[in-house]
Amino acid sequence: QCGNQIGAAFWENIIQEHGIDENGEYKGSDPQQIERANVYFTEVQNKRYVPRLVAIDLEPGVLNSIKTGRYGTLFRPDSMINAASGAGNNWAKGFYTEGAELLDTVLDTIRHDVEACDSFSGFQMCHSIAGGTGSGLGSLVLQKVREEYPDRMMSTFTVMPSQDTSDAVVEPYNSVLSIHHLIENSDMTFCLDNQALNNICIDVLKIKSPAHSDLNSLVSKVMSGVTTSLRFPGQLNADMRKLAVNMVPFPRLHFMMSGIAPLTALQTRSYRHVTVPDLCQQMYQAQNMLVDTDPRHGRYLTCATMFRGKVSVKECEDTIYNYTEKHSAEFVEWIPSSTQIAVCDVPPAGMDMAATFIGNSTAIQEVFARIGEQFSKLFRRKAFLHWYTDEGMDEMEFTEAESNVNDLINEYKQYQDATVDDEMAYEGEEGAYAEEEYAEGDVLADDGY
């Protein structure tokens, strides 16, 4: 449910940015809008543009509402795949039983889309890991797609469970089992959560009681900001692979926090003039992060900033350089120039300029520690475990997933405290990563990268 709603909001956003109407016809006036539309759209007869997506759910409700929505007729009917029974908040149902029945159909649809591409780059997946479908079936699709396309980029937009609001009692089980798969099979995971999105809507945008559409709109802005260099020509480009190469210093540490600017309440928008230093100051602020953790509690390993609009590249570079110099304690000292900058000429609809921020911060360990703590409380008493073992799961899977998440937390702690001089102490640990890195490198080299 969650992933499909976020995905629908993202498609609405980029359909408008590319000047495409409800019938899939181009109605814009700027040739840049349509120049690289084929990155996300397939051009069919009569110059219609059809979004290239696969929407999967184990119950029909959300997909039906997308089909009957404003842009419902745009999406190819056979790219909407659903079962009828639902996963009932159970990871095992999504991964082993109900989800596995849909898997062949899903993979056939993905293959069909991939084979129609000229230079296929990778996948983007939107899902939540608190329920049963996004976590269980999401992990299964992630694993199978990774097996079939090992040399392609896999980025996920993952909604984490919130600290204060919980939709299901078994959230910690579903989340830890999913994070276990994300660590192994994803190249970049953008972490989001409803708590942070709610806080932004209430405190920054001054929306008294935010609806899900408000939260989804924030996520879609981050998604369109991250993908803007793929879709529009710019002065400094950053594709998915370039972004990952600059953002992920160690293969397992690929969990990002993201932010957007400008975020201004509707009633104060007319009083504000947005400049590049404004954008820079706002996007690094803790209250603008779309995941409920404070970056000041950790240090940035790497960052990426994407500016959109008529901005000077030099001004962007100088502003970011001044910020990183002034706040050098927030960045690890053993990665000297840790911020990547991309500049795109085309601003978002209705704005002069905007910026998207992505940070690989060690503070993200707080999210995993919080989920891990809740998991161990349930698992120690074996509470609710029978729902999972009845679907064919083994207790060992829970133990493995828990230890993998704990290892991840320890790795973040280790690199947070590391300094330039003590690299000798970490040689042993890095040996474990070396095999993985070379293995990936071999695959990429064969492919011409």
Side-chain angles (χ1 to χ4, degrees):
Q1 183 173 344
C2 171
N4 283 321
Q5 285 174 336
I6 290 173
F10 166 66
W11 280 106
E12 276 189 35
N13 197 335
I14 70 165
I15 283 166
Q16 287 163 9
E17 283 190 6
H18 285 285
I20 293 168
D21 69 2
E22 291 93 331
N23 302 315
E25 292 166 6
Y26 174 61
K27 297 292 185 194
S29 52
D30 183 353
Q32 283 189 332
Q33 282 182 310
I34 213 70
E35 189 182 319
R36 288 161 70 179
N38 62 354
V39 173
Y40 276 93
F41 297 87
T42 305
E43 192 175 343
V44 294
Q45 58 192 20
N46 304 330
K47 286 203 174 273
R48 277 189 75 229
Y49 289 91
V50 175
R52 196 181 299 116
L53 88 159
V54 182
I56 315 157
D57 204 350
L58 290 177
E59 53 194 15
V62 177
L63 294 187
N64 286 344
S65 66
I66 292 173
K67 285 175 194 170
T68 55
R70 183 181 170 191
Y71 294 103
T73 54
L74 258 184
F75 303 118
R76 216 174 67 235
D78 57 347
S79 66
M80 303 268 191
I81 303 164
N82 65 272
S85 54
N89 282 333
N90 187 337
W91 188 90
K93 266 187 181 296
F95 193 89
Y96 284 111
T97 50
E98 307 290 345
E101 291 173 18
L102 274 190
L103 185 66
D104 287 341
T105 316
V106 170
L107 290 177
D108 284 344
T109 312
I110 290 172
R111 276 186 214 109
H112 173 271
D113 278 345
V114 168
E115 283 160 14
C117 294
D118 291 338
S119 56
F120 170 56
S121 173
F123 300 91
Q124 268 178 301
M125 183 167 101
C126 309
H127 66 141
S128 150
I129 57 170
T133 308
S135 64
L137 182 53
S139 300
L140 181 63
V141 170
L142 191 68
Q143 181 181 313
K144 295 299 178 190
V145 166
R146 179 51 118 200
E147 283 171 14
E148 197 155 326
Y149 304 98
D151 57 339
R152 292 292 174 250
M153 293 300 299
M154 171 62 81
S155 64
T156 72
F157 290 85
T158 302
V159 179
M160 301 284 182
S162 303
Q163 189 167 359
D164 302 338
T165 55
S166 167
D167 298 330
V169 182
V170 288
E171 264 180 11
Y173 281 165
N174 298 333
S175 304
V176 168
L177 291 164
S178 300
I179 292 166
H180 175 49
H181 279 267
L182 285 168
I183 293 170
E184 306 303 331
N185 296 320
S186 162
D187 289 309
M188 284 182 88
T189 292
F190 299 92
C191 301
L192 314 156
D193 76 49
N194 285 339
Q195 184 73 37
L197 296 170
N198 264 316
N199 291 347
I200 289 173
C201 285
I202 294 165
D203 301 338
V204 182
L205 300 178
K206 307 291 186 242
I207 301 169
K208 284 181 183 157
S209 50
H212 273 299
S213 56
D214 297 315
L215 309 187
N216 294 344
S217 159
L218 282 174
V219 179
S220 72
K221 281 178 183 163
V222 166
M223 289 180 72
S224 67
V226 169
T227 60
T228 188
S229 289
L230 308 173
R231 300 182 290 114
F232 296 113
Q235 303 169 57
L236 273 176
N237 278 335
D239 59 24
M240 282 165 77
R241 193 175 296 278
K242 204 182 282 186
L243 192 61
V245 165
N246 285 289
M247 290 296 291
V248 183
F250 305 102
R252 287 162 60 87
L253 309 190
H254 55 249
F255 294 88
M256 310 294 162
M257 49 174 65
S258 46
I260 40 177
L263 285 173
T264 320
L266 197 60
Q267 52 270 40
T268 58
R269 201 166 288 168
S270 56
Y271 298 92
R272 185 167 180 186
H273 173 61
V274 180
T275 62
V276 171
D278 265 358
L279 292 176
C280 178
Q281 186 188 356
Q282 194 178 15
M283 69 185 172
Y284 276 102
Q285 281 177 356
Q287 72 199 53
N288 274 32
M289 295 300 159
L290 271 64
V291 63
D292 191 20
T293 181
D294 192 333
R296 290 169 297 196
H297 296 168
R299 298 168 85 190
Y300 286 114
L301 297 169
T302 50
C303 299
T305 53
M306 284 103 171
F307 291 93
R308 299 185 63 178
K310 295 282 182 268
V311 293
S312 148
V313 176
K314 184 165 188 334
E315 189 183 8
C316 295
E317 287 172 345
D318 290 348
T319 308
I320 295 293
Y321 177 77
N322 292 339
Y323 183 90
T324 50
E325 285 294 298
K326 201 182 291 182
H327 301 87
S328 57
E330 293 177 17
F331 300 84
V332 294
E333 60 205 48
W334 42 272
I335 301 180
S337 52
S338 58
T339 303
Q340 185 201 7
I341 298 169
V343 179
C344 170
D345 302 336
V346 182
M351 297 169 102
D352 291 333
M353 61 173 73
T356 307
F357 169 82
I358 303 163
N360 190 346
S361 169
T362 58
I364 201 81
Q365 63 180 288
E366 290 179 0
V367 177
F368 301 126
R370 187 173 74 223
I371 297 168
E373 192 182 324
Q374 294 168 343
F375 176 94
S376 54
K377 282 177 185 172
L378 284 176
F379 189 55
R380 203 175 297 139
R381 291 274 172 267
K382 306 276 191 285
F384 303 103
L385 208 61
H386 64 282
W387 293 110
Y388 294 81
T389 51
D390 287 353
E391 300 291 332
M393 276 190 79
D394 193 318
E395 273 186 39
M396 275 302 293
E397 288 184 63
F398 285 83
T399 316
E400 277 174 25
E402 184 181 24
S403 68
N404 200 3
V405 172
N406 289 338
D407 288 347
L408 183 71
I409 294 167
N410 290 331
E411 282 162 44
Y412 273 116
K413 283 180 181 163
Q414 166 194 323
Y415 289 114
Q416 181 173 317
D417 303 331
T419 61
V420 176
D421 303 323
D422 57 13
E423 71 269 10
M424 294 301 288
Y426 299 104
E427 248 175 38
E429 282 88 350
E430 281 173 1
Y433 301 128
E435 291 172 20
E436 239 175 290
E437 285 177 45
Y438 291 133
E440 278 188 288
D442 292 344
V443 174
L444 299 179
D446 294 343
D447 206 349
Y449 286 97

